[in-house]
Amino acid sequence: MNIIKFISQNNVKSLDRYIFYIILTKEKGVIRIKAVIMAGGKGTRLRPLTCGIPKPMVPILNKPVMEYSINLLKKYEISDIAVTMAYLPTVITDYFADGYKWGVHLNYFNEEIPLGTGGSVKNAEDFLDDTFIVISGDALTDLDIKQAVKYHKMKKSKATLVLKKEPVPIEYGVVITDESGRIIRFLEKPSWGEVFSDTINTGIYILEPEVLNYYKKGDNFDFSKDLFPRLLKDNVPIFGYVTEDYWCDIGDVHSYKQTQFDILEGKVNLELDSIEIKKGIWIGEGSTVSSEVEIIPPVYIGKNCIIKNTKKIDAFTIIGNNCKIGKDTSLKRSILWKNTVIEDDAHCSGTTVCSNVVIKKGVNLYEDSVIGEGTVLSAGVIVKPDIKIWPHKKIEENTVINQNLVWGTKASKTIFGYRDISGDINIDITPEFASRLGASFASMMEEDSTIIVSSDDAKGSYLIKNSLISGVLSTGTGVVNISNTVIPMNRFAVRYYKANGGIHLRSDHTNINKIYIELVAKNGANIDRKIEREIEHLLNREDFERCNADKIKNVVNIDHFSSLYVKSGIDLLKNISKIKRENPKILIASKTENILRFTSDFLENIGCEVQFDRSMNQYKTMNEYLSWLAKKLHRQNIDFAVVVHENGENFILIDNKGRIIENEKYMAFVSLMTIKNDLKQKLVLPYIVPNKIENIAKSHNVEVILSKSNPSSMMNTMLSHENAQDNALFQYILNYHPIWGIGMIIDYLVGNGLKLSDLVDELPNFYFIKNEIACDWKHKGSVIREIIEENKGKNIELFEGVKILDDKGWALILPDSERPVFNIYTEGYSQEYAEELSLFFSDKVERLLKNQRE
């Protein structure tokens, strides 16, 4: 080959390296075959170990498992190697480059689309001109390749499969051979009833190039499912070579750990990089270990580690390079990747810790737990057995982790968001978690208490609800079970039955895997933050009540509760006969059929003509849908429309002129209606309310009570004044009982001879803007602190977030309670000034966040 052409083709940058490759290809009287390393695995079952790296790059004793495959091939002087890749290929190529460091020549073949095991090798067929061996980049073996190739040649086989006897073969492909070793049958991951042999397919093959001719380059096919059965059918000679050598497929966390333990026990024939300073104790260069540390072999310690007066490093502990271990810490059967820091008094037993993890003082990690890369476990954290934490989580102090924490979950003692607990079913919200939550909530109740438990009709809601009920019953607390409801019905049921609390579950209409759980106090409002913290404490510490079997109560099941809810709502109205005479035309819309049914039942019972619109799902955004619906309403003879959110609580009005009343405008509408209804003592408003709405109340000599803006604070503030005045309950219904609230609006309008548009005409214009700035959870506190410091001496309020006021308007910077964002609210005397404030403070927050990141 032309030297310049060779160098160009293989990215060899020097003549010295070219000479090196000539030496590699020189005949030495040993086996002269090429190799293919299949390195396309994602390692899904190994997550979170493989969240940021492909499966072949998972470290075994501080080296990627694929490196052992390369070293094995080099040992048998197989130096010309193809590497097939698919998932995160640059992680592999950046580490191994062209293979010079390992004395081999690596050729890379990347799959743009999945090709299967056979298709990935076929993709490299231009490289394969003679007998070649296929080996996995994510399994560990010390196979005697020379003997396997010798067997292949002796049998004149076209395809030889390396087989291994496995006591429990059902997770593998079983291969059946005759007395001569010729393969006669394949069984891919058989059931126990199909296990006719204990010889399994290791995924190591010795092949002749012509067997790939059954398929075209780019075809998707597997060796064991597609190619080998075709060879068998065509009577092509294929044989099984049963090896006694070590082989382990690193398919899950258990096998990953066991493989390394097997190496330390000497079950694998390979050399370790570190120095064996004592039988079964390997310590790498540059590592310092205190003389007071008790080390029980076998133990492997990487390079440049600092280990202080640790209590004990027990058998089968593996410590990666550049790790720091503090005083009085104990390690047992644990695997630490590189750059791990463990502070004093920590305990690690049977855990696997990925790279760049920080484990603070007093942390306890238990059997088969896995800690993802870059995670910080604060002081006193407990990670229970079998728990997996995905990368880059920050776990708050003294948190007990009882459930897996995956992408998108926020790891802390705080499980409550803005108004509820939410997450994906069987990931964030598991039956186990639900049972403990139910037990925690019930443990706060007095003896002989009762909790109303309700849900929508989704299957996921039923699953989690049953687990919640089990948890509640386990404490001796009674349960009233109401099916197929919405959250306002739960609130009503708690008050109607004089229960001690309520729990309501619903699924997300657009994502059936997402579950929302709301906890209700005995007054019908969401529980306050104090009770949330108490529940979180009980849940994290598992410090809940348990009762004996004779104290477990029977569940009381209530059917058709919606009928009672509708009747009770009708009893609140004063002008039923007049409504029936006038027969108002109301259009209702929702994504949820149950809400449409409940709302129409109520409206028809009070004498309304109800029309439905079910086209909401056809629109990409709610704004698009509302715009369309407003135009439709303006053209038709309809009194007004109501769009009810799928949570059954929030709703939007559209008047007969097509004007949309939502958010701040609805706040103003409720305030005006409350005042006009002669309920003038006090008005409860959220802190984020525009000043113009406050001015409505002040102009009518009504006292304004400002509440924090979350639903729990608003509800509890309203209901705390319930006994003293009617307007508190009136506001509560208009805000949190849409079915009843619609009836009250109709009742008021009909009773006063008004159209909805008449009230909307009276609403003031205000210039109010809400913006969001994305941020990291960890930066929220520091940004708020800096904003306060920058505005010292100015007119600021710290009731909820930071509110900066001037004579022309105000800005409120409020960290979101359940999303990694800042909410920025601004109001100005004009639209231009509101926009100016919004832009100014949004830029300020972004600047502060940028400084934090730097």
Side-chain angles (χ1 to χ4, degrees), residues 434-489:
S435 176
R436 292 187 297 107
L437 176 63
S440 299
F441 188 35
S443 293
M444 299 182 59
M445 307 292 177
E446 299 174 356
E447 191 174 352
D448 293 325
S449 293
T450 299
I451 293 176
I452 308 293
V453 183
S454 63
S455 72
D456 61 14
D457 60 352
K459 291 180 181 178
S461 301
Y462 273 92
L463 170 68
I464 299 302
K465 182 172 74 168
N466 288 334
S467 297
L468 270 164
I469 290 173
S470 295
V472 172
L473 293 175
S474 71
T475 68
T477 301
V479 170
V480 174
N481 176 32
I482 304 176
S483 297
N484 200 14
T485 61
V486 290
I487 181 64
M489 293 182 187

Side-chain angles (χ1 to χ4, degrees), residues 419 486-496 520 523-526 561 565-566 568-569 572-573 599 602 642 644 647-651 666 715 718-719 728-745:
R419 65 175 298 147
V486 290
I487 181 64
M489 293 182 187
N490 183 285
R491 301 189 193 287
F492 169 67
V494 169
R495 296 164 67 93
Y496 184 83
V520 175
N523 65 350
N526 280 29
F561 183 76
Y565 182 77
V566 166
S568 299
L572 296 170
L573 308 183
T599 308
F602 178 80
V642 185
V644 185
N647 66 9
E649 188 165 277
N650 301 340
F651 66 107
Y666 184 73
M715 282 185 253
M718 289 174 182
L719 294 176
L729 186 59
F730 186 77
Q731 282 189 79
Y732 169 70
I733 290 171
L734 285 177
N735 280 282
Y736 301 107
H737 285 263
I739 297 174
W740 289 0
I742 297 164
M744 283 185 153
I745 292 169

Side-chain angles (χ1 to χ4, degrees), residues 364-476:
N364 284 273
L365 309 178
Y366 291 106
E367 286 291 329
D368 296 320
S369 58
V370 181
I371 314 300
E373 181 182 8
T375 291
V376 177
L377 303 180
S378 300
V381 166
I382 297 174
V383 180
K384 291 296 187 74
D386 300 308
I387 295 301
K388 295 177 174 59
I389 299 176
W390 260 238
H392 305 295
K393 293 285 185 283
K394 171 68 183 292
I395 315 297
E396 295 178 2
E397 289 186 1
N398 300 316
T399 302
V400 179
I401 306 298
N402 297 301
Q403 58 179 332
N404 294 341
L405 297 174
V406 300
W407 300 120
T409 56
K410 180 164 73 77
S412 73
K413 293 179 289 183
T414 304
I415 61 170
F416 288 89
Y418 177 65
R419 65 175 298 147
D420 52 29
I421 301 167
S422 64
D424 287 342
I425 190 169
N426 287 330
I427 296 177
D428 306 301
I429 309 293
T430 64
E432 296 82 2
F433 168 81
S435 176
R436 292 187 297 107
L437 176 63
S440 299
F441 188 35
S443 293
M444 299 182 59
M445 307 292 177
E446 299 174 356
E447 191 174 352
D448 293 325
S449 293
T450 299
I451 293 176
I452 308 293
V453 183
S454 63
S455 72
D456 61 14
D457 60 352
K459 291 180 181 178
S461 301
Y462 273 92
L463 170 68
I464 299 302
K465 182 172 74 168
N466 288 334
S467 297
L468 270 164
I469 290 173
S470 295
V472 172
L473 293 175
S474 71
T475 68

Side-chain angles (χ1 to χ4, degrees), residues 738-755:
I739 297 174
W740 289 0
I742 297 164
M744 283 185 153
I745 292 169
I746 294 169
D747 191 58
Y748 176 80
L749 295 175
V750 170
N752 291 277
L754 298 171
K755 294 286 188 182

Side-chain angles (χ1 to χ4, degrees), residues 108-363:
Y108 294 104
F109 298 88
N110 192 33
E111 299 175 41
E112 299 298 329
I113 57 173
L115 297 174
T117 56
S120 67
V121 174
K122 178 72 175 180
N123 195 40
E125 70 173 349
D126 293 340
F127 168 79
L128 304 170
D129 52 10
D130 203 349
T131 305
F132 63 95
I133 183 171
V134 176
I135 192 168
S136 175
D138 49 34
L140 187 75
T141 182
D142 59 7
L143 174 70
D144 186 333
I145 295 176
K146 184 177 180 180
Q147 291 300 317
V149 173
K150 183 179 178 181
Y151 178 89
H152 174 80
K153 297 290 187 183
M154 180 185 68
K155 294 291 185 179
K156 297 181 181 179
S157 176
K158 295 298 181 182
T160 296
L161 285 64
V162 176
L163 310 178
K164 177 80 175 174
K165 292 187 181 296
E166 172 63 41
V168 184
I170 58 174
E171 288 300 318
Y172 305 94
V174 170
V175 179
I176 301 172
T177 60
D178 63 14
E179 297 82 358
S180 69
R182 187 159 181 158
I183 293 172
I184 57 175
R185 191 174 178 187
F186 294 93
L187 294 167
E188 188 66 19
K189 293 188 178 179
S191 66
W192 277 113
E194 296 172 309
V195 174
F196 306 122
S197 170
D198 63 351
T199 51
I200 63 166
N201 180 4
T202 65
I204 302 173
Y205 314 124
I206 302 166
L207 305 174
E208 299 302 322
E210 59 262 34
V211 299
L212 298 177
N213 293 338
Y214 279 79
Y215 295 89
K216 296 177 183 178
K217 192 172 184 179
D219 286 349
N220 184 321
F221 68 99
D222 285 318
F223 283 118
S224 56
K225 293 180 183 178
D226 303 308
L227 178 60
F228 295 152
R230 289 189 68 173
L231 296 177
L232 192 64
K233 182 180 178 182
D234 290 351
N235 206 30
V236 175
I238 55 174
F239 285 79
Y241 172 77
V242 181
T243 181
E244 297 292 328
D245 300 319
Y246 185 88
W247 173 86
C248 183
D249 173 38
I250 302 168
D252 55 27
V253 174
H254 174 76
S255 59
Y256 169 73
K257 291 163 59 177
Q258 189 59 50
T259 297
Q260 296 178 81
F261 298 162
D262 289 343
I263 295 172
L264 295 184
E265 281 192 297
K267 294 180 179 179
V268 190
N269 181 23
L270 55 82
E271 295 180 4
L272 303 183
D273 288 344
S274 293
I275 301 170
E276 189 174 14
I277 63 166
K278 187 179 178 181
K279 179 65 176 177
I281 299 175
W282 292 267
I283 299 180
E285 293 179 4
S287 290
T288 58
V289 181
S290 170
S291 59
E292 298 182 19
V293 176
E294 180 184 3
I295 302 178
I296 300 176
V299 166
Y300 185 96
I301 299 172
K303 299 176 182 178
N304 303 314
C305 295
I306 299 174
I307 301 176
K308 297 182 179 179
N309 297 336
T310 298
K311 280 182 181 177
K312 182 190 288 186
I313 301 178
D314 214 331
F316 300 104
T317 293
I318 296 154
I319 300 174
N321 299 332
N322 306 307
C323 291
K324 296 180 181 178
I325 314 296
K327 295 186 296 183
D328 298 322
T329 287
S330 64
L331 303 171
K332 179 180 181 181
R333 296 181 70 86
S334 294
I335 298 171
L336 313 181
W337 290 12
K338 64 183 180 180
N339 303 322
T340 296
V341 175
I342 302 181
E343 294 184 357
D344 302 344
D345 295 310
H347 173 78
C348 302
S349 179
T351 188
T352 302
V353 178
C354 295
S355 302
N356 304 305
V357 169
V358 176
I359 298 172
K360 299 283 189 176
K361 184 176 181 179
V363 169

